[in-house]
Amino acid sequence: MSDVVILGTGMHPFGRFEKSYEELGAEAAAAALRDAGVEWSQIQAAYLSRMYLPATSGARILRRLGSTDISIVDIEAACASGGAALRQGVLAIRSGEVDLALVLGCEKMPRGFMDPSMIYSQWQIELGMSLNPAYWSMRARRHMHDYGTTELQIAKVAHKNHKNSVHNPYSMYQKEFSLDEILNSPLVCDPIRRLEICAPDDGAAAVVVASAKRARQLGANAKAINIAACCHTIARYSADFRCPADSMSATAANPGPTEVTAKQAYDRAGLGPRDIDCFEVQDTDAFCEIEICESLGLCVPGEGGRLIDEGRTEIGGATPVNMSGGLISKGEPVGASHLGQLVEIVSQLRGQAGPRQVADAKVGLAHVLGAGGNCAVTILQR
Amino acid sequence: MITANKSAAGERVPIREGLLTGPLSRLDRVRLAGCSCTTCGETSLGSKNICPNCGGDAVREVSLSNHGVLWSFTVVRHRPPGNYKGPDPFVPFGLGLVELSDGLRVLSPIRCDIDKLKIGLELQFKPYVRKDDDGREVVAFSFEPASQ
């Protein structure tokens, strides 16, 4: 057993709701506490992952569960905020100062493209560089050029993820689209289409984490899920072309943020990609999943398109990816996305994922990657 | 380095300080500014005091090449959010990474028929003047197919 475990998870569906962020967050937090079988008053530290919420949102949300004097901290690391927040919870427990903590992700976002001034400089906005999908699209275009990856393969990833989401009550769309529908959906930024990208939305997800010792004292050994690794890094110099970059080196050869973070996580867990039974990865767009599968070591660089052609990333395949339907179907409430992935992985490892269940899943990996090359990888093990 | 300290109506300013070099009154002599590090050898976009790769301060400002090759591209099909200064009503446009012989790829609007966009397309730097709401002339940039 590792030193830090997940005792319980809770989630508010991702989508668009007529509720305040405080309501969304409090529902997810309360659900996680119920699932863990602990009271809010027992929690010794809490972390809120969020990007678009106002200051002290964590305290405002958790006040709804009752008054407290514990440390509640808001954490932001773009799309990897959830991993950065969980890491703080893990480190706090590992330090010995606390042994029971809550990590919550929550977001409430406006429709449409994200507010560019959060990320981009004014001159980039003026020149038209402030559309996030443009960056994903240029990566896709280059991959197609270098490796022969096709628009059909990209569409197949979107098809798989939308299809998986039909069985996920936490997903925004829960709707299967045919390959034709996907390939005929409007281009957003060539070659990426409307049904191949994720939308910003609302949602919340939470986990209760504890030291292994505290879990034993609570008699919660049986359902505890080990956190084998939780790593967060930002991309090295020019290792990642992602918003808001205005240029990239043509000569530096640093490994990408997913490679670096995954290696850290694999090393810490003492596992490799072949030991992982199921994956939830950042599919901000369908191409992104292809590239990340390569970076996580599911195949060699350039072979990502074959994974989908051969059905290897399907729920019944050798390396299932985005059983939940991914962000393409759930939407991306940025601060909540990684915690939402962990809710899915925990449910897989507990054998409670219903029609989405990966047979006999024992180890799962969750990955997020976003602005500034922020990347987080968490490996869970039962 | 060009500074925009005393900008006022009628004056010419770069779209961002430190991004362009050369006399703004002579567009044919304006180039993108770069930062070349004598320690690690990296050249990056824009004038800076510290190398963004190694953190060293042995850097010098250079003029980047005004020729490049399209390394990757997309077509922006929706009006970008925020204070986009392109045509109104919106017209889809090419956005690409232009590889320069200086060892870097620069993100830039590509001024050409979107059907002509192709990896490997030879491009040349194309600064231009845009009139701002307050009357200032802002020097912005794009790339266009070479010898057009």
Side-chain angles (χ1 to χ4, degrees):
Chain A
M1 193 181 228
S2 67
D3 49 354
V4 185
V5 302
I6 291 180
L7 281 187
T9 66
M11 186 154 171
H12 185 288
F14 290 2
R16 296 193 176 101
F17 305 96
E18 298 298 316
K19 287 182 186 177
S20 66
Y21 74 84
E22 291 97 330
E23 288 174 282
L24 297 170
E27 281 187 38
L33 290 166
R34 268 197 310 278
D35 185 47
V38 302
E39 301 293 326
W40 168 234
S41 56
Q42 294 175 279
I43 298 290
Q44 300 153 339
Y47 302 87
L48 172 71
S49 156
R50 60 84 183 99
M51 185 171 180
Y52 284 81
L53 299 183
T56 71
S57 289
R60 295 196 227 183
I61 292 169
L62 294 169
R63 184 183 293 153
R64 290 175 174 245
L65 303 183
S67 81
T68 179
D69 60 2
I70 63 169
S71 167
I72 300 177
V73 185
D74 292 2
I75 287 172
E76 188 275 314
C79 301
S81 296
L86 178 63
R87 180 168 174 272
Q88 290 305 310
V90 168
L91 292 176
I93 288 172
R94 209 173 274 157
S95 78
E97 193 163 301
V98 305
D99 60 14
L100 196 57
L102 176 77
V103 183
L104 168 66
C106 182
E107 208 76 76
K108 188 165 181 70
M109 303 175 70
R111 271 171 182 271
F113 298 113
M114 299 179 186
D115 174 7
S117 62
M118 292 280 289
I119 298 175
Y120 298 96
S121 303
Q122 199 54 45
W123 70 274
Q124 294 177 294
I125 296 172
E126 292 179 9
L127 286 182
M129 300 173 178
S130 63
L131 209 60
N132 296 357
Y135 294 77
W136 319 332
S137 299
M138 281 182 268
R139 300 178 69 87
R141 175 73 67 193
R142 187 68 202 186
H143 200 274
M144 292 164 76
H145 176 83
D146 287 344
Y147 301 115
T149 305
T150 64
E151 291 191 48
L152 179 60
Q153 289 170 329
I154 295 171
K156 282 181 179 176
V157 170
H159 174 70
K160 166 181 71 71
N161 292 357
H162 282 299
K163 184 181 64 186
N164 289 351
S165 82
V166 169
H167 305 292
N168 185 358
Y170 295 129
S171 163
M172 175 158 66
Y173 294 130
Q174 298 175 43
K175 185 172 181 323
E176 185 170 349
F177 296 93
S178 70
L179 275 175
D180 269 356
E181 283 176 291
I182 293 165
L183 285 167
N184 287 312
S185 66
L187 284 163
V188 176
C189 288
D190 307 29
I192 303 295
R193 295 169 184 279
R194 177 80 57 79
L195 288 175
E196 297 171 338
I197 64 170
C198 76
D201 61 353
D202 312 340
V207 298
V208 173
V209 290
S211 67
K213 186 178 169 200
R214 182 69 185 265
R216 278 193 299 275
Q217 288 165 354
L218 289 165
N221 273 2
K223 69 173 182 181
I225 298 289
N226 299 318
I227 301 177
C230 175
C231 302
H232 167 234
T233 72
I234 58 166
R236 296 177 189 173
Y237 173 71
S238 212
D240 187 52
F241 182 70
R242 208 165 294 276
C243 65
D246 56 22
S247 57
M248 66 186 287
S249 172
T251 57
N254 287 318
T258 297
E259 283 89 341
V260 170
T261 319
K263 179 168 192 323
Q264 234 182 56
Y266 288 143
D267 287 351
R268 198 151 294 166
L271 299 167
R274 285 164 195 278
D275 303 312
I276 314 283
D277 301 311
C278 57
F279 298 79
E280 288 281 311
V281 311
Q282 179 91 28
D283 57 338
T284 351
D285 66 292
F287 165 72
C288 194
E289 179 177 309
I290 291 177
E291 190 184 37
I292 285 162
C293 286
E294 296 173 2
S295 304
L296 289 173
L298 301 192
C299 61
V300 299
E303 295 281 300
R306 272 181 55 189
L307 293 178
I308 188 73
D309 280 342
E310 294 170 0
R312 283 159 63 186
T313 50
E314 299 277 354
I315 286 173
T319 52
V321 175
N322 285 330
M323 302 74 64
S324 71
L327 306 180
I328 285 177
S329 72
K330 289 188 290 193
E332 190 190 14
V334 178
S337 65
H338 190 61
L339 278 305
Q341 293 176 326
L342 297 180
V343 171
E344 174 70 18
I345 299 283
V346 166
S347 131
Q348 292 284 348
L349 301 187
R350 286 175 173 173
Q352 295 171 344
R356 304 190 312 281
Q357 184 64 46
V358 171
D360 197 31
K362 292 189 179 69
V363 188
L365 180 150
H367 161 277
V368 276
L369 173 62
N374 267 288
C375 183
V377 171
T378 300
I379 299 177
L380 302 182
Q381 193 169 23
R382 81 166 143 90
Chain B
M1 188 175 107
I2 297 160
T3 60
N5 287 339
K6 285 178 271 177
S7 57
E11 273 191 63
R12 233 172 227 198
V13 295
I15 187 162
R16 193 203 79 185
E17 247 185 84
L19 195 59
L20 301 174
T21 184
L24 292 186
S25 55
R26 292 281 310 275
L27 286 186
D28 59 320
R29 288 169 59 191
V30 170
R31 299 283 183 273
L32 286 170
C35 166
S36 172
C37 178
T38 54
T39 307
C40 73
E42 275 292 314
T43 297
S44 56
L45 177 66
S47 174
K48 320 179 181 73
N49 299 320
I50 299 286
C51 170
N53 181 34
C54 71
D57 61 3
V59 294
R60 62 190 175 86
E61 186 183 306
V62 293
S63 292
L64 298 180
S65 171
N66 62 343
H67 279 84
V69 173
L70 193 56
W71 188 79
S72 192
F73 67 93
T74 186
V75 177
V76 177
R77 301 269 173 182
H78 292 263
R79 188 180 186 85
N83 190 25
Y84 171 56
K85 301 278 196 183
D88 195 9
F90 174 74
V91 180
F93 66 95
L95 185 65
L97 277 164
V98 183
E99 184 156 326
L100 308 179
S101 54
D102 309 273
L104 76 165
R105 304 173 189 129
V106 174
L107 182 62
S108 173
I110 310 296
R111 204 184 272 194
C112 77
D113 185 341
I114 55 177
D115 297 328
K116 299 269 163 38
L117 291 165
K118 192 178 168 228
I119 288 175
L121 186 66
E122 301 261 353
L123 299 164
Q124 64 194 25
F125 183 60
K126 179 72 180 171
Y128 60 93
V129 172
R130 188 191 77 210
K131 200 79 156 193
D132 232 350
D133 298 338
D134 58 7
R136 288 186 314 174
E137 291 190 330
V138 176
V139 180
F141 69 92
S142 63
F143 276 80
E144 65 180 17
S147 57
Q148 188 176 272

